[in-house]
């Protein structure tokens, strides 16, 4: 076909709003040699039947920023392209009919403050003033977001496409991608129903068909097409035009609605049903404008609740029923970024929010491709957050269907879901049930949050935190902290991701990637960050030198795939990077009695002089071969003990038996999180992100500026903002993360992580504040839209001289 070039700098697959936005933003950054391919006509996949809602407030700051950016872009597109994108900035209402939903709204008001997003809390009467159609008899409160609205899908795509075309992008419809050629693990070309295009960059923006397109490149993308239904009603008697009425979300009644365009004069009504259905098609979207037969029985609850909320609907029928496919993911977050095939990118899995976020998605993906990293931290949306198990359609479907069915539920901190579990189990699994472990899940791993057998070990003065923080809590957490501080705790952290980096170029590679100096003698242990070119933290980990050209990296459970990809991105042929997570269990023995428990089980000396802090050594514990690393994440003396997986259960039993007379107790992740807050140990994804640098995070001592490494030149000498430790006046008020912080009445930061410190008896929060904010400054934190006093404190709060760690 003459419209197809023989080569292009990038090929975008999919002509919906996401694909058009990616092409447009690539061209804005100077990549004008871009071809967008659509097998039908533009928007004929899933975009055309989108309900078009734009709700700006999301669960993460980055997703909120993406949608806020999108809203601004949509408002400007008419000027930029001369086309109307169909943007209706009518504002949005979120209704609350239960006390829990009111609390959720109050928390959202606090979150909106941190995002710079306007959200007002209204009474039921005020909500009715905004939209007289509503019956608010059971409404307790409502949130008003003036920046919300809705879009006409086809008009938006047309405007984005026009903008892309004007900048040089070639858009070709009626051409189907039939293959993706790769050479040595990198994209080389795409083949189509018309011809072949040589390219090194392919962006898979195929929506519900993104899984199919991924398989053409040999990549498993966990896209789950789910049937989603809405109706357009007839005109409402006496209502007049409904085009400009606010959008409404009524989550307690699993329904949403907005005005329908003229000449209908009715409402578009949709909902997230409790029993969703998959669309199981090996080649989804192969037919244009796919729709399913209406399923009004399944939709009955949402429709009935809509008629309750808008009495005028009780005498109006359905003019049109739209029952189409939407692309969902196992965890309800977008799928963005480069896959395991170099140059093969994905921008899909928008979970019904494709129109709302399309502008931000295009911006993020194009910045990532062109500049190596996006402006905002999108690690929670990174396609590499999943392990190999995500290739299972059964697992992905179970998770996605469960998430869809609970889409409008109030989600409390620490709440766990059972779909797709258990999956990954450590060797210690047989011991968890007898100890009444309360299990959580991370990256498919089953992990103990706490052990019920410890709940009876009363800790004086400990009560459940007030509000949401105390909903999924146990006194066992306090007991496990107390045992670790007075005797010892044994923690199974086998889910730690473990990477072996070896080869002649291993040291040179890690010195370039790591901000700290890892060139230490064998047995040396280094805590470090890996940075992007902007100085943001891409990874937070420890590096142990096991030999001249052999290093062991330990990183967080959910970061292994992503961190391995980052390292391989810069590795040459003289370096091998292996994920060895499943080969090694990890048991952490921490507490003042740790040496007394471990020493009788090994012939090696564990004295400070022979086994100092931040060192590693191979030894045997009983008959078990172990790599012991003297390091801690709780601020007590102890070791991380790495044993081959087949020995790990034996090691657990040995340690439990040896430690019982000395007060050893099993411990879970909630106790670890409490203790790490007291010590000021940072967590990647919260205190550290790709947006934050280690100097601002207070990790300057772990940055070796004397050597050259990626991101060094971007690090500030004197940061404008720094991570501060805050202690709330009221110990029963516990932060969950995301709460705004103000100084002298002026909002100037947000909580990155928070919790209760049982050893210091305080409610602790961390937040980035202006660097000029001194220790001792009184501040306020908005917890559920109520300002609570706190004070900036020197850190760490617990054992500031490190006497317990160094023993």
């Amino acid at each position: 076909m003459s419209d197809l070039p023989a080569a292009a700098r990038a090929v975008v697959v999919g002509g919906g709003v996401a694909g058009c936005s990616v092409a447009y933003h690539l061209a804005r950054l100077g990549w004008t040699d871009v071809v967008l391919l659509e097998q039908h006509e533009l928007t004929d996949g899933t975009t055309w039947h989108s309900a078009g809602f734009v709700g700006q407030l999301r669960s993460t700051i980055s997703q909120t920023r993406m949608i806020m950016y999108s809203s601004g872009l949509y408002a400007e597109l008419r000027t930029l392209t001369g086309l109307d994108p169909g943007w209706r900035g009518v504002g949005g209402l979120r209704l609350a009919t239960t006390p829990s939903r009111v609390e959720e709204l109050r928390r959202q008001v606090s979150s909106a403050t941190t995002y710079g997003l306007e959200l007002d809390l209204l009474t039921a009467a005020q909500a009715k003033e905004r939209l007289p159609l509503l019956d608010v008899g059971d409404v307790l409160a409502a949130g008003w977001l003036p920046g919300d609205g809705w879009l006409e899908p086809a008009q938006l795509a047309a405007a984005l496409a026009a903008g892309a075309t004007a900048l040089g992008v070639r858009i070709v419809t009626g051409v189907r991608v039939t293959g993706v050629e790769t050479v040595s693990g990198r994209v080389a070309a795409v083949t189509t129903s018309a011809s072949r295009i040589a390219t090194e960059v392919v962006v898979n923006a195929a929506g519900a068909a993104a899984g199919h397109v991924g398989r053409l490149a040999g990549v498993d993308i966990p896209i789950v097409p789910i049937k989603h239904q809405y109706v357009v009603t007839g005109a409402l008697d006496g209502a007049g035009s409904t085009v400009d009425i606010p959008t409404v979300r009524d989550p307690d009644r699993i329904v949403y609605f907005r005005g329908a365009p003229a000449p209908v004069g009715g409402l578009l009504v949709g909902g997230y049903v409790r029993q969703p259905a998959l669309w199981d098609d090996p080649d989804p979207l192969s037919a244009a404008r796919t729709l399913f037969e209406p399923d009004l029985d399944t939709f009955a609850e949402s429709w009935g609740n809509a008629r309750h909320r808008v009495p005028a609907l009780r005498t109006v029928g359905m003019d049109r029923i739209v029952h189409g496919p939407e692309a969902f993911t196992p965890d309800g977050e977008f799928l963005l970024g480069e896959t395991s095939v170099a140059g093969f990118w994905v921008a899909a899995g928008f979970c019904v929010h494709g129109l709302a976020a399309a502008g931000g998605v295009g911006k993020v993906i194009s910045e990532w491709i062109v500049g190596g990293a996006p402006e905002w931290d999108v690690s929670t949306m990174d396609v590499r957050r999943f392990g190999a198990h995500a290739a299972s359609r059964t697992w992905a479907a179970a998770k996605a269907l469960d998430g869809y069915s609970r889409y409008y539920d109030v989600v409390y901190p620490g709440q766990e879901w059972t779909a797709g579990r258990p999956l990954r189990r450590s060797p210690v699994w047989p011991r968890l049930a007898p100890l009444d472990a309360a299990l959580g899940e991370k990256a498919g791993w089953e992990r103990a949050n706490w052990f019920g057998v410890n709940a009876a070990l009363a800790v004086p003065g400990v009560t459940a935190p007030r509000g949401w923080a105390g909903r999924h809590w146990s006194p066992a957490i306090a007991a496990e902290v107390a045992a670790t501080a007075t005797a010892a705790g044994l923690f199974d952290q086998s889910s730690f991701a473990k990477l072996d980096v070896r080869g002649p170029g291993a040291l040179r590679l890690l010195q370039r990637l790591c901000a700290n100096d890892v060139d230490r003698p064998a047995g040396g242990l280094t805590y470090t960050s890996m940075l992007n070119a902007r100085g943001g933290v891409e990874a937070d980990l420890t590096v142990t030198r096991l030999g001249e050209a052999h290093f062991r990296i330990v990183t967080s459970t959910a970061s292994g795939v992503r961190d391995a990809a980052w390292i391989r991105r810069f590795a040459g042929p003289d370096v091998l990077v292996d994920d060895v997570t499943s080969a090694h269990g990890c048991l952490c023995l921490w507490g003042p009695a740790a040496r007394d428990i471990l020493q009788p089980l090994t012939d090696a000396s564990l004295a400070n002089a022979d086994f100092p802090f931040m060192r590693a050594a191979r030894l045997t514990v009983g008959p078990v071969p172990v790599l012991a690393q003297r390091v801690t994440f709780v601020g007590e003396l102890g070791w991380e003990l790495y044993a081959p997986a087949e020995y790990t259960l034996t090691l657990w039993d040995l340690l439990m038996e040896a430690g019982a007379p000395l007060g050893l107790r099993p411990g879970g992740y909630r106790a670890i999180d409490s203790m790490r807050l007291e010590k000021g140990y940072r967590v990647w994804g919260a205190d550290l992100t790709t947006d934050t640098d280690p100097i601002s995070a207070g990790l300057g001592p772990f940055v070796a500026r004397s050597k050259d490494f990626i991101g060094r030149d971007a690090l500030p000498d004197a940061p404008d903002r720094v991570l501060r430790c805050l202690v709330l006046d009221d110990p029963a008020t516990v932060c969950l993360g995301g709460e705004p912080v103000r100084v002298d009445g002026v909002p100037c930061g947000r909580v990155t992580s928070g919790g209760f410190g049982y050893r210091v008896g305080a409610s602790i929060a961390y937040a980035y504040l202006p660097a000029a904010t001194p220790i001792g400054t009184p501040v306020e934190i908005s917890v559920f839209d109520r300002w609570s006093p706190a004070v900036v404190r020197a850190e760490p709060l617990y054992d500031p001289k490190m006497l317990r760690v160094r023993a």
Side-chain angles (χ1 to χ4, degrees):
M1 179 178 288
S2 59
D3 285 339
L4 287 183
R9 193 170 192 181
V11 173
V12 179
V13 182
V17 289
C20 291
S21 181
V22 170
Y24 171 67
H25 284 86
L26 281 173
R28 281 181 59 171
L29 292 179
W31 279 38
T32 56
D33 182 18
V34 174
V35 176
L36 184 150
L37 302 176
E38 166 56 47
Q39 62 180 334
H40 306 301
E41 296 299 318
L42 293 184
T43 78
D44 275 1
T46 57
T47 294
W48 72 277
H49 64 69
S50 171
F53 276 69
V54 177
Q56 296 184 77
L57 184 61
R58 312 307 305 169
S59 59
T60 67
I61 187 169
S62 291
Q63 203 174 104
T64 300
R65 283 170 172 168
M66 290 167 67
I67 297 179
M68 290 173 69
Y69 168 84
S70 297
S71 298
L73 174 66
Y74 301 158
E76 297 171 2
L77 271 175
R78 183 196 297 266
T79 301
L80 292 172
T81 67
L83 297 176
D84 179 9
W87 166 242
R88 304 284 182 180
V90 296
L93 287 166
R94 298 184 182 209
L95 307 182
T97 62
T98 63
S100 293
R101 191 69 67 179
V102 174
E103 285 296 292
E104 181 187 55
L105 267 182
R106 290 188 177 279
R107 177 162 167 76
Q108 289 172 340
V109 170
S110 294
S111 297
T113 301
T114 72
Y115 303 158
L117 185 64
E118 187 177 352
L119 170 56
D120 298 321
L121 199 61
L122 307 181
T123 65
Q126 290 170 323
K128 188 171 180 65
E129 289 177 10
R130 297 277 182 185
L131 184 56
L133 289 172
L134 297 179
D135 179 339
V136 297
D138 59 347
V139 173
L140 302 179
W144 168 248
L145 291 110
D148 281 8
W150 58 276
L151 287 153
E152 290 284 5
Q155 290 178 236
L156 173 61
L160 287 166
T165 301
L167 293 171
V169 172
R170 190 174 305 188
I171 296 178
V172 183
T173 60
V175 173
R176 178 179 172 86
V177 173
T178 56
V180 179
E181 297 178 11
T182 61
V183 176
S184 300
R186 172 173 286 281
V187 166
V190 295
T191 56
T192 77
S193 55
S195 62
R196 177 182 183 273
I197 306 174
T199 185
E200 293 186 351
V201 174
V202 172
V203 182
N204 177 2
H212 169 73
V213 174
R215 288 189 288 275
L216 297 178
V219 174
D220 292 304
I221 297 175
I223 291 287
V224 182
I226 293 179
K227 299 177 180 180
H228 186 74
Q229 193 167 205
Y230 67 79
V231 303
V232 179
T233 74
L236 305 184
D237 289 342
S241 173
T242 58
V243 170
D244 294 322
I245 68 171
T247 64
V248 177
R249 288 173 174 82
D250 191 352
D252 290 320
R253 292 185 174 273
I254 61 170
V255 68
Y256 61 80
F257 51 89
R258 65 164 173 84
V264 175
L267 298 180
L268 183 153
V269 179
Y272 290 86
V273 300
R274 295 297 185 187
Q275 295 181 318
L278 288 175
W279 182 33
D280 192 8
D281 187 325
D283 189 9
L285 305 184
S286 56
R289 300 199 163 215
T290 298
L291 287 179
F292 312 115
E293 289 296 319
D295 184 359
L296 294 181
D297 288 341
T298 299
F299 193 65
E301 182 181 1
S302 292
W303 177 241
N305 286 333
R307 300 177 90 183
H308 163 83
R309 184 62 61 217
V310 181
L313 287 176
R314 297 169 190 171
T315 57
V316 174
M318 302 176 185
D319 266 17
R320 184 160 55 99
I321 301 170
V322 178
H323 193 197
E326 295 285 356
F328 283 79
T329 65
D331 60 2
E333 293 283 359
F334 300 172
L335 293 177
L336 306 177
E338 192 173 22
T339 67
S340 57
V341 173
F344 189 78
W345 296 73
V346 62
F350 299 125
C351 308
V352 192
H353 300 297
L355 262 73
V361 166
K363 169 183 161 66
V364 164
I365 289 293
S366 61
E367 290 171 345
W368 212 340
I369 292 171
V370 175
E375 178 184 358
W376 304 315
D377 171 38
V378 292
S379 56
T380 60
M381 299 171 244
D382 194 320
V383 67
R384 297 167 299 180
R385 67 187 181 270
F386 294 110
H389 55 276
S392 164
R393 286 183 171 184
T394 302
W395 177 85
K399 299 290 282 187
L401 288 169
D402 181 59
Y404 182 107
S405 70
R406 295 182 288 95
Y407 184 83
Y408 270 154
D409 290 356
V410 176
V411 178
Y412 299 105
Q415 196 164 0
E416 301 286 350
W417 313 109
T418 59
R421 297 174 57 188
L423 180 62
R424 306 173 76 179
R425 290 173 272 189
S426 91
V428 178
W429 174 263
R431 300 294 181 263
L432 300 185
L435 295 170
D436 191 22
L439 294 173
E441 180 265 339
K442 187 74 172 287
W445 283 94
E446 296 292 324
R447 313 192 310 177
N449 285 330
W450 63 79
F451 291 91
V453 294
N454 293 325
L457 305 175
V459 179
V462 170
T463 58
R466 184 184 301 125
W468 280 19
R471 279 184 172 265
H472 297 277
W473 178 89
S474 169
I477 302 168
E480 290 163 17
V481 171
T484 306
T486 58
L490 185 61
F491 302 85
D492 177 15
Q493 297 207 92
S494 297
S495 66
F496 271 160
K498 312 162 195 85
L499 309 173
D500 271 5
V501 182
R502 63 173 79 205
L507 175 61
R508 181 175 63 254
L509 171 66
L510 292 178
Q511 285 290 71
R512 183 187 178 203
L513 293 179
C514 295
N516 207 348
D517 187 359
V518 300
D519 189 7
R520 304 189 180 200
L525 182 63
T526 305
Y527 169 64
T528 185
S529 301
M530 291 183 179
L531 312 181
N532 56 40
R534 299 195 321 270
V537 179
E538 287 287 338
D540 178 65
L541 40 80
T542 60
V543 179
T544 303
R545 192 168 195 171
L546 299 180
E548 184 66 22
H550 184 191
F551 297 82
R552 170 73 51 77
I553 287 175
V554 176
T555 185
S556 65
T557 298
S559 298
V561 175
R562 188 178 184 279
D563 290 355
W566 182 260
I567 297 167
R568 291 185 182 117
R569 176 178 176 182
F570 300 95
D574 58 350
V575 179
L576 183 65
V577 182
D578 279 335
D579 187 331
V580 296
T581 300
S582 300
H584 307 278
C586 176
L587 304 182
C588 299
L589 178 65
W590 290 320
R595 182 181 285 117
D596 296 332
I597 294 169
L598 191 58
Q599 184 64 85
L601 299 175
T602 183
D603 294 332
S605 172
L606 303 180
N608 276 335
D610 299 317
F611 206 143
F613 183 56
M614 296 301 285
R615 290 288 294 174
R618 296 191 183 278
L619 46 85
T620 56
V621 177
V624 177
V626 165
L627 173 66
Q629 298 190 165
R630 190 169 164 195
V631 66
T632 178
F633 200 55
V634 301
E636 302 287 353
L637 167 70
W639 286 263
E640 293 176 357
L641 304 172
Y642 295 87
E646 69 269 25
Y647 290 96
T648 304
L649 182 57
T650 299
L651 180 62
W652 173 275
D653 290 342
L654 282 170
L655 294 171
M656 288 295 292
E657 182 179 0
L662 298 178
L664 173 70
R665 302 299 299 181
Y669 275 82
R670 296 285 289 277
I672 291 174
D673 193 55
S674 170
M675 291 184 279
R676 74 94 189 164
L677 278 168
E678 296 170 308
K679 286 297 295 180
Y681 295 147
R682 281 43 169 159
V683 167
W684 193 84
D687 310 308
L688 306 172
T689 71
T690 60
D691 288 346
T692 60
D693 68 85
I695 307 302
S696 302
L699 301 180
F702 306 99
V703 175
R705 287 187 187 252
S706 59
K707 73 182 185 75
D708 188 24
F709 56 88
I710 294 172
R712 183 189 67 172
D713 295 341
L715 294 178
D717 293 322
D720 296 330
R721 303 176 65 79
V722 294
L723 191 62
R724 293 294 198 198
C725 175
L726 313 177
V727 173
L728 284 77
D729 290 5
D730 177 11
T733 299
V734 175
C735 294
L736 306 173
E739 295 86 353
V741 181
R742 67 186 185 189
V743 179
D744 294 330
V746 179
C748 57
R750 65 182 181 88
V751 172
T752 56
S753 60
F756 190 81
Y758 295 95
R759 292 176 299 190
V760 300
S763 177
I764 306 166
Y766 277 82
Y768 284 92
L769 300 179
T773 309
I775 303 300
T777 300
V779 302
E780 292 176 293
I781 305 174
S782 180
V783 183
F784 288 89
D785 200 29
R786 299 177 179 90
W787 290 101
S788 300
V791 65
V792 179
R793 293 280 300 274
E795 59 170 325
L797 298 174
Y798 182 74
D799 188 25
K801 295 184 179 180
M802 298 283 284
L803 299 179
R804 297 178 70 88
V805 171
R806 299 183 184 279

